[in-house]
Amino acid sequence: MTADAKHAPTPYLRLFDVTKRFGDFIALKDISLEIYEGEFVCFLGPSGCGKTTLLRAIAGLDIQTSGTVEQNGQDVSALPPYERDFGIVFQSYALFPNLTVAKNVAYGLENRKIAKRDVRQRVAELLQLVGLPDQGDKYPRQLSGGQQQRIALARAIATSPGLLLLDEPLSALDAKVRVHLRHEVKQLQRRLGITTVMVTHDQEEALTMADRIVVMNQGVIEQIGTPEDIYRKPSTSFVADFIGTMNFVAGTAVGPDRVRCGDNVLACETSDMREGDVVTVAVRPEDIVLREGVSESEENVFSVRIDAMEFLGSYVRADLALEARGDQILRADLSINLVRRMQIAEGDERFVNIPKERIRVYQGTVNRDV
Amino acid sequence: MLAIGAFLVVCVLLPLYSMLSKSFENADGDFIGLANYADYFSTPALFLSAINSLYVSVTASVIVLVTAFVYGYALTRSCMPFKWFFKLVALVPLLTPSLLSGISLVYWFGKQGVAKELLFGELIYGPIGIIIGSAYWVFPHALMIVITALTITDARLYEAATALRTGTLRTFFTITLPGCKYGLISAGFVTFTLIFTDFGVPKVIGGNYNVLATDIYKQVIGQQNFEMGAVVSMILLLPAVLAFTVDRVVQKKQVALLSAQAVPYRPKPKRKRDLCMLVFCSIVAALILLMIGMAQYAALITFWPYNLEFTLANYDFDLANGGGWDSYFNSIRMALYTAAFGTVIIFFGAYLVEKGRRFIAGRSIFHAIAMLPLAVPGMVLGLSYIFFFNNPSNPFNFIYGTMAILVVATITHFYTVSHLTAVTALKQMDAEFESVGASLKAPFYRTFARVTVPVCMPAALDISMYLFLNAMTTVSAVVFIYSSDTTLASVAVLNMDDQGEIAFAAAMAMMIAYTCAGARILHALLTRSIMRTTQAWRTS
Ligand SMILES: Nc1ncnc2c1ncn2[C@@H]1O[C@H](COP(=O)(O)OP(=O)(O)OP(=O)(O)O)[C@@H](O)[C@H]1O
Ligand SMILES: [Mg+2]
């Protein structure tokens, strides 16, 4: 499915200028966002950036201070949660401890006057769906964390809601189970075709699961895009820094598509920057290419000294000192094959190339708090 | 929310306010500023009572604190045998009104007491009696706090100390004592407040030794001087509020000491220490049993000390002047109402405080008011109820003199501890139950009934038990507001003793003790069966 085909003309969920205040504190500021039917969207951002607050506003659990929420063409901004159409799963599972697994899953069904037999059948179906067909008579406490989370998921989708909301559903689980469930949740979502919003602060989770990612920071949206977009073309330096590993080098724009960093001049797309602007150049470690015997006259080729090498299994992370400026270190990921073939060792002097199209340039300087 | 908030305002704040204003008025209701207070402080006899109150409270607190600490230490940190027995015995005083210890002391050390020689000529009627009697009935209160404090220590601290070859004594002073420092301080303040504001013991055994609580009683009941009663109440309220405030601050710190990963301490056997502990606990337990045992004996004796034949005649309360069987049944009714309504009201209040998401200010104000009753002595509360509810222009005036006002006063008097129990139980539940319920389109009351209530059932049972026991035994909160139709067993004990019908008083006090013991057993059985039937999910 291409992105365009998926984006049906009217979005399923539409937020417009949603703002949420707690006293003087602004937790969300003018959030506007469209989510399409069947999409899996992740809210990603550092702790305290407002992801949960936004999710709760969508659910109506904590109604926004101003702005509108439209679901399925209907303005639900002021509706209480029980008049909206969604299922929700929390990090803590929030399974009712005194009800059996089957009763937990049936909880929502029993509120809608469905015949007992049909309820039982639907519960069996759902337990099958989440891969726990024989656990209906147990109490939540008798299940493992991962199993509990699947039950919470079954409970949330039992009534076939139009929208599934997940607030860090996997972060209470240990790493192995998390990776496994990640896959399962995604599969399930595909199969049911249910529009899903998931909150997470784990970028790997977002990158692997989402159709689109909404990166948030301090109550505003920094970027919305596909995982690939977000990774390849972070539109702000915050996103560039937050997602994956990134090298930042301070520089000055010195002409159209030219940036000077220390003694080197880089060719890169400077879009609307003007000569003399202070800029930051960003490049990912895997985009730095080690060259075998090339002259320095080629575009974006520099001589570097290999300062340190860290063996990380299938690749090596190397610290490269740009010779001209000894204090500027670039991180580069080099495949283990390449390292063997070229017999690279610490202290070597080599040439590297940074492809023009892989370089991002941001206005101003970047403060990293790491 | 508003209804329960209003309940607290009407039952706590407004009565206290009316008492405060009363203390600035003369008998005709005119405002006379601080004149009553000036009067008070220039009457040496009245002022002396304050000193007396302080003296007995401090002395008894120190005794109780030391005893409770060693006793609690033996229960938590030693391997002495029969711990279950000692735990059980220590709780016995909770089953009886504080008056009972006074009565028992009269039989032991009174003018015709069996063991009065032990006092070497001193009289039991006075500070000695008050101190011993008070120590008896506040002991379990102090013990429970001390045990909690001793239980939460991290075993790894001791392992570290052993690894560093720290001596036993040094370990005790550098780890054990600091570890339960806040618990001890808290226990000290609770003990002090309980004794300082208690009325039963000094009334029965105090003789001519006046303390603040008996002064209020005399001013109000004896001299009908309500204004002076209000003044003394304010003076009684002051240290109680102070102690309460310190205690709250201290308890916050205690909680902060707890880390989630603490490893519970398991004592290892040590012959000499365990033996010493066993001896000590046996002595304390024996004293407790002697105290209640004497009351039981007194209840069964024909005419002390001349006719020691056993009889049940003392249980024929309808022959007594101080009160009949009616008062006993009134007490049971009152305690049942208090337990039933109190649990519901308190639980709803705690639910709103804990689970509400709006009105943050309103909820924290509510919580603060719910803390207040703990600081208000029963007598002060009772007196303020006269001022507030006996006022004909008060719309709630109609409950004055009925069972309802007794129930309201008792619920209010014991509100705080129950409220905290309920809040703790609610805090242990996942915060998102209501959100999940709403997303599944279940109305909030359905989630409340199907999940919240069942999960909190054990806590609710504990609260109702606590309310029942206290309603059965309390004297101070109700002594001013009962009417001739609503006499109570605990008040009957007081009045019988006042009339010299001390054997009847002992028998009635024992009736209360049997009832409370029965209620406790019932509670234990009920809790057990509920645990088995509806709480199966807890185990495993
Ligand atoms: N009820 C509240 N009252 C006051 N401030 C709040 C409240 N709820 C959230 N906040 C504040 O709003 C901000 C956003 O909170 P939110 O829970 O949405 O963060 P989050 O992005 O989900 O973070 P995390 O990853 O830690 O869950 C935080 O700074 C938080 O302190
Ligand atoms: Mg969150």
Side-chain angles (χ1 to χ4, degrees), chain B residues 390-408:
Chain B
N390 196 20
N391 184 344
S393 59
N394 184 332
F396 297 103
N397 178 246
F398 66 91
I399 75 165
Y400 192 74
T402 65
M403 181 61 97
I405 194 171
L406 295 176
V407 173
V408 169

PDB file of all heavy atoms in Angstrom, chain B residues 390-408:
ATOM      1  N   ASN B 390     -27.319  21.988  69.959  1.00  0.00           N
ATOM      2  CA  ASN B 390     -28.386  22.325  70.893  1.00  0.00           C
ATOM      3  C   ASN B 390     -28.913  23.734  70.654  1.00  0.00           C
ATOM      4  O   ASN B 390     -29.787  24.206  71.356  1.00  0.00           O
ATOM      5  CB  ASN B 390     -27.890  22.179  72.333  1.00  0.00           C
ATOM      6  CG  ASN B 390     -29.054  22.136  73.314  1.00  0.00           C
ATOM      7  OD1 ASN B 390     -30.175  21.842  72.916  1.00  0.00           O
ATOM      8  ND2 ASN B 390     -28.787  22.442  74.565  1.00  0.00           N
ATOM      9  N   ASN B 391     -28.367  24.395  69.684  1.00  0.00           N
ATOM     10  CA  ASN B 391     -28.795  25.744  69.369  1.00  0.00           C
ATOM     11  C   ASN B 391     -30.090  25.670  68.557  1.00  0.00           C
ATOM     12  O   ASN B 391     -30.120  25.125  67.473  1.00  0.00           O
ATOM     13  CB  ASN B 391     -27.689  26.404  68.547  1.00  0.00           C
ATOM     14  CG  ASN B 391     -27.989  27.843  68.251  1.00  0.00           C
ATOM     15  OD1 ASN B 391     -29.131  28.280  68.401  1.00  0.00           O
ATOM     16  ND2 ASN B 391     -26.976  28.569  67.839  1.00  0.00           N
ATOM     17  N   PRO B 392     -31.197  26.216  69.095  1.00  0.00           N
ATOM     18  CA  PRO B 392     -32.497  26.045  68.428  1.00  0.00           C
ATOM     19  C   PRO B 392     -32.512  26.585  67.002  1.00  0.00           C
ATOM     20  O   PRO B 392     -33.299  26.123  66.172  1.00  0.00           O
ATOM     21  CB  PRO B 392     -33.457  26.847  69.314  1.00  0.00           C
ATOM     22  CG  PRO B 392     -32.737  27.106  70.579  1.00  0.00           C
ATOM     23  CD  PRO B 392     -31.267  26.998  70.313  1.00  0.00           C
ATOM     24  N   SER B 393     -31.638  27.551  66.706  1.00  0.00           N
ATOM     25  CA  SER B 393     -31.690  28.114  65.359  1.00  0.00           C
ATOM     26  C   SER B 393     -30.911  27.259  64.359  1.00  0.00           C
ATOM     27  O   SER B 393     -30.884  27.558  63.175  1.00  0.00           O
ATOM     28  CB  SER B 393     -31.130  29.536  65.376  1.00  0.00           C
ATOM     29  OG  SER B 393     -29.795  29.502  65.838  1.00  0.00           O
ATOM     30  N   ASN B 394     -30.277  26.201  64.847  1.00  0.00           N
ATOM     31  CA  ASN B 394     -29.543  25.325  63.936  1.00  0.00           C
ATOM     32  C   ASN B 394     -30.513  24.372  63.241  1.00  0.00           C
ATOM     33  O   ASN B 394     -31.297  23.679  63.885  1.00  0.00           O
ATOM     34  CB  ASN B 394     -28.522  24.514  64.747  1.00  0.00           C
ATOM     35  CG  ASN B 394     -27.656  23.640  63.867  1.00  0.00           C
ATOM     36  OD1 ASN B 394     -28.075  23.218  62.784  1.00  0.00           O
ATOM     37  ND2 ASN B 394     -26.453  23.354  64.317  1.00  0.00           N
ATOM     38  N   PRO B 395     -30.466  24.331  61.910  1.00  0.00           N
ATOM     39  CA  PRO B 395     -31.390  23.435  61.184  1.00  0.00           C
ATOM     40  C   PRO B 395     -31.202  21.966  61.554  1.00  0.00           C
ATOM     41  O   PRO B 395     -32.111  21.165  61.356  1.00  0.00           O
ATOM     42  CB  PRO B 395     -31.051  23.686  59.717  1.00  0.00           C
ATOM     43  CG  PRO B 395     -29.720  24.348  59.713  1.00  0.00           C
ATOM     44  CD  PRO B 395     -29.615  25.097  60.996  1.00  0.00           C
ATOM     45  N   PHE B 396     -30.029  21.621  62.080  1.00  0.00           N
ATOM     46  CA  PHE B 396     -29.797  20.227  62.457  1.00  0.00           C
ATOM     47  C   PHE B 396     -30.164  19.973  63.916  1.00  0.00           C
ATOM     48  O   PHE B 396     -29.867  18.925  64.462  1.00  0.00           O
ATOM     49  CB  PHE B 396     -28.337  19.841  62.229  1.00  0.00           C
ATOM     50  CG  PHE B 396     -27.933  19.908  60.787  1.00  0.00           C
ATOM     51  CD1 PHE B 396     -27.192  20.968  60.305  1.00  0.00           C
ATOM     52  CD2 PHE B 396     -28.312  18.905  59.907  1.00  0.00           C
ATOM     53  CE1 PHE B 396     -26.834  21.045  58.971  1.00  0.00           C
ATOM     54  CE2 PHE B 396     -27.948  18.970  58.574  1.00  0.00           C
ATOM     55  CZ  PHE B 396     -27.215  20.038  58.107  1.00  0.00           C
ATOM     56  N   ASN B 397     -30.773  20.964  64.534  1.00  0.00           N
ATOM     57  CA  ASN B 397     -31.123  20.877  65.943  1.00  0.00           C
ATOM     58  C   ASN B 397     -31.911  19.602  66.284  1.00  0.00           C
ATOM     59  O   ASN B 397     -31.797  19.046  67.358  1.00  0.00           O
ATOM     60  CB  ASN B 397     -31.931  22.125  66.321  1.00  0.00           C
ATOM     61  CG  ASN B 397     -32.375  22.077  67.768  1.00  0.00           C
ATOM     62  OD1 ASN B 397     -33.546  21.985  68.050  1.00  0.00           O
ATOM     63  ND2 ASN B 397     -31.407  22.125  68.683  1.00  0.00           N
ATOM     64  N   PHE B 398     -32.698  19.116  65.295  1.00  0.00           N
ATOM     65  CA  PHE B 398     -33.587  17.971  65.574  1.00  0.00           C
ATOM     66  C   PHE B 398     -32.827  16.710  65.955  1.00  0.00           C
ATOM     67  O   PHE B 398     -33.378  15.828  66.586  1.00  0.00           O
ATOM     68  CB  PHE B 398     -34.496  17.692  64.373  1.00  0.00           C
ATOM     69  CG  PHE B 398     -33.755  17.222  63.156  1.00  0.00           C
ATOM     70  CD1 PHE B 398     -33.554  15.853  62.933  1.00  0.00           C
ATOM     71  CD2 PHE B 398     -33.242  18.128  62.237  1.00  0.00           C
ATOM     72  CE1 PHE B 398     -32.867  15.424  61.829  1.00  0.00           C
ATOM     73  CE2 PHE B 398     -32.547  17.694  61.131  1.00  0.00           C
ATOM     74  CZ  PHE B 398     -32.361  16.344  60.927  1.00  0.00           C
ATOM     75  N   ILE B 399     -31.544  16.590  65.582  1.00  0.00           N
ATOM     76  CA  ILE B 399     -30.853  15.351  65.948  1.00  0.00           C
ATOM     77  C   ILE B 399     -30.358  15.392  67.394  1.00  0.00           C
ATOM     78  O   ILE B 399     -29.900  14.394  67.920  1.00  0.00           O
ATOM     79  CB  ILE B 399     -29.675  15.004  65.008  1.00  0.00           C
ATOM     80  CG1 ILE B 399     -28.458  15.894  65.256  1.00  0.00           C
ATOM     81  CG2 ILE B 399     -30.078  15.026  63.557  1.00  0.00           C
ATOM     82  CD1 ILE B 399     -27.204  15.323  64.608  1.00  0.00           C
ATOM     83  N   TYR B 400     -30.455  16.557  68.021  1.00  0.00           N
ATOM     84  CA  TYR B 400     -29.955  16.660  69.390  1.00  0.00           C
ATOM     85  C   TYR B 400     -30.764  15.754  70.317  1.00  0.00           C
ATOM     86  O   TYR B 400     -31.984  15.753  70.289  1.00  0.00           O
ATOM     87  CB  TYR B 400     -30.025  18.113  69.874  1.00  0.00           C
ATOM     88  CG  TYR B 400     -29.257  18.308  71.151  1.00  0.00           C
ATOM     89  CD1 TYR B 400     -27.870  18.331  71.120  1.00  0.00           C
ATOM     90  CD2 TYR B 400     -29.895  18.410  72.368  1.00  0.00           C
ATOM     91  CE1 TYR B 400     -27.142  18.473  72.284  1.00  0.00           C
ATOM     92  CE2 TYR B 400     -29.179  18.549  73.536  1.00  0.00           C
ATOM     93  CZ  TYR B 400     -27.793  18.578  73.489  1.00  0.00           C
ATOM     94  OH  TYR B 400     -27.084  18.712  74.654  1.00  0.00           O
ATOM     95  N   GLY B 401     -30.064  14.983  71.141  1.00  0.00           N
ATOM     96  CA  GLY B 401     -30.757  14.111  72.081  1.00  0.00           C
ATOM     97  C   GLY B 401     -31.196  12.796  71.470  1.00  0.00           C
ATOM     98  O   GLY B 401     -31.825  11.985  72.117  1.00  0.00           O
ATOM     99  N   THR B 402     -30.850  12.552  70.205  1.00  0.00           N
ATOM    100  CA  THR B 402     -31.240  11.285  69.577  1.00  0.00           C
ATOM    101  C   THR B 402     -30.031  10.364  69.436  1.00  0.00           C
ATOM    102  O   THR B 402     -28.897  10.750  69.724  1.00  0.00           O
ATOM    103  CB  THR B 402     -31.806  11.525  68.174  1.00  0.00           C
ATOM    104  OG1 THR B 402     -30.741  12.040  67.365  1.00  0.00           O
ATOM    105  CG2 THR B 402     -32.946  12.518  68.193  1.00  0.00           C
ATOM    106  N   MET B 403     -30.323   9.181  68.956  1.00  0.00           N
ATOM    107  CA  MET B 403     -29.256   8.243  68.642  1.00  0.00           C
ATOM    108  C   MET B 403     -28.371   8.809  67.538  1.00  0.00           C
ATOM    109  O   MET B 403     -27.153   8.599  67.514  1.00  0.00           O
ATOM    110  CB  MET B 403     -29.907   6.927  68.192  1.00  0.00           C
ATOM    111  CG  MET B 403     -28.941   5.838  67.862  1.00  0.00           C
ATOM    112  SD  MET B 403     -27.938   5.376  69.256  1.00  0.00           S
ATOM    113  CE  MET B 403     -28.776   3.966  69.888  1.00  0.00           C
ATOM    114  N   ALA B 404     -28.993   9.551  66.627  1.00  0.00           N
ATOM    115  CA  ALA B 404     -28.255  10.038  65.463  1.00  0.00           C
ATOM    116  C   ALA B 404     -27.042  10.873  65.862  1.00  0.00           C
ATOM    117  O   ALA B 404     -25.957  10.716  65.300  1.00  0.00           O
ATOM    118  CB  ALA B 404     -29.182  10.847  64.555  1.00  0.00           C
ATOM    119  N   ILE B 405     -27.223  11.735  66.863  1.00  0.00           N
ATOM    120  CA  ILE B 405     -26.101  12.617  67.198  1.00  0.00           C
ATOM    121  C   ILE B 405     -24.952  11.803  67.797  1.00  0.00           C
ATOM    122  O   ILE B 405     -23.777  12.108  67.579  1.00  0.00           O
ATOM    123  CB  ILE B 405     -26.539  13.755  68.152  1.00  0.00           C
ATOM    124  CG1 ILE B 405     -25.443  14.833  68.182  1.00  0.00           C
ATOM    125  CG2 ILE B 405     -26.819  13.242  69.554  1.00  0.00           C
ATOM    126  CD1 ILE B 405     -25.844  16.074  68.910  1.00  0.00           C
ATOM    127  N   LEU B 406     -25.298  10.726  68.521  1.00  0.00           N
ATOM    128  CA  LEU B 406     -24.246   9.869  69.069  1.00  0.00           C
ATOM    129  C   LEU B 406     -23.466   9.207  67.941  1.00  0.00           C
ATOM    130  O   LEU B 406     -22.230   9.129  67.964  1.00  0.00           O
ATOM    131  CB  LEU B 406     -24.862   8.792  69.978  1.00  0.00           C
ATOM    132  CG  LEU B 406     -25.549   9.312  71.236  1.00  0.00           C
ATOM    133  CD1 LEU B 406     -26.190   8.169  71.995  1.00  0.00           C
ATOM    134  CD2 LEU B 406     -24.555  10.040  72.124  1.00  0.00           C
ATOM    135  N   VAL B 407     -24.217   8.715  66.949  1.00  0.00           N
ATOM    136  CA  VAL B 407     -23.564   8.059  65.824  1.00  0.00           C
ATOM    137  C   VAL B 407     -22.682   9.052  65.067  1.00  0.00           C
ATOM    138  O   VAL B 407     -21.518   8.771  64.759  1.00  0.00           O
ATOM    139  CB  VAL B 407     -24.621   7.436  64.878  1.00  0.00           C
ATOM    140  CG1 VAL B 407     -23.968   6.904  63.621  1.00  0.00           C
ATOM    141  CG2 VAL B 407     -25.375   6.329  65.601  1.00  0.00           C
ATOM    142  N   VAL B 408     -23.249  10.234  64.811  1.00  0.00           N
ATOM    143  CA  VAL B 408     -22.482  11.254  64.088  1.00  0.00           C
ATOM    144  C   VAL B 408     -21.219  11.621  64.857  1.00  0.00           C
ATOM    145  O   VAL B 408     -20.124  11.684  64.292  1.00  0.00           O
ATOM    146  CB  VAL B 408     -23.353  12.514  63.851  1.00  0.00           C
ATOM    147  CG1 VAL B 408     -22.494  13.665  63.356  1.00  0.00           C
ATOM    148  CG2 VAL B 408     -24.453  12.204  62.861  1.00  0.00           C
TER     149      VAL B 408
END
